[in-house]
Amino acid sequence: MSLFEAAKFVRKNAHAPYSNFHVGAALRTASGAIFSGCNVENAAYPEGTCAEAGAIAAMAAAGERVIVEILVVADADQPVTPCGGCRQKISEFADKDAVVIIASPKGEQFRTTLGELLPGSFGLGHLGKS
Ligand code: THU
């Protein structure tokens, strides 16, 4: 299954009764495994989680730690890039060259990198732990 297929598939399970904005994300790790997630909203709005966060949680739960590529699919007039918080979450497990793909449900794709989306990011190095 491709990253696009995995993200599109999991997007069907998005729980988005408040925004009605359904998002799917799928990432590939250094081992080649694919993990996916959808947004899960909550009546207490700030408790909702993004699709990227779900995919990252699934990856970490499986014991994997290195994101090589991540694809996000949503339906909007303009490409849906990961929110600021998700860029930071991705950066915990990816280097600046990691590929970020923004896709529409029809298959149009826009490729960028984490470094382009989150320049000057805060990371392990700032804590003296790199
Ligand atoms: N959302 C994501 O899941 N990922 C993104 O990259 C952008 C936004 C979700 C959060 C919320 O459930 C809905 O989209 C509207 O913001």
Side-chain angles (χ1 to χ4, degrees):
M1 190 182 275
S2 70
L3 277 187
F4 177 65
E5 287 168 336
K8 221 180 139 174
F9 184 78
V10 75
R11 178 172 177 260
K12 290 185 203 152
N13 293 329
H15 175 69
Y18 308 106
S19 71
N20 203 31
F21 191 71
H22 297 203
V23 186
L27 62 84
R28 189 186 320 279
T29 63
S31 75
I34 291 178
F35 298 94
S36 61
C38 56
N39 53 331
V40 181
E41 297 183 349
N42 193 285
Y45 292 177
E47 298 305 324
T49 51
C50 286
E52 296 90 327
I56 290 168
M59 174 196 77
E64 298 233 20
R65 294 289 187 267
V66 180
I67 299 172
V68 173
E69 195 177 8
I70 182 164
L71 181 148
V72 182
V73 61
D75 197 8
D77 292 338
Q78 53 190 8
V80 177
T81 47
C83 76
C86 284
R87 294 177 197 199
Q88 181 67 29
K89 288 184 176 78
I90 295 165
S91 78
E92 180 72 14
F93 301 106
D95 66 29
K96 65 180 176 39
D97 298 323
V99 176
V100 180
I101 303 164
I102 317 304
S104 77
K106 286 184 191 150
E108 293 135 345
Q109 296 191 1
F110 166 75
R111 289 169 79 90
T112 184
T113 63
L114 182 63
E116 297 218 333
L117 292 176
L118 192 65
S121 64
F122 179 84
L124 277 180
H126 296 102
L127 298 174
K129 296 186 189 295
S130 59

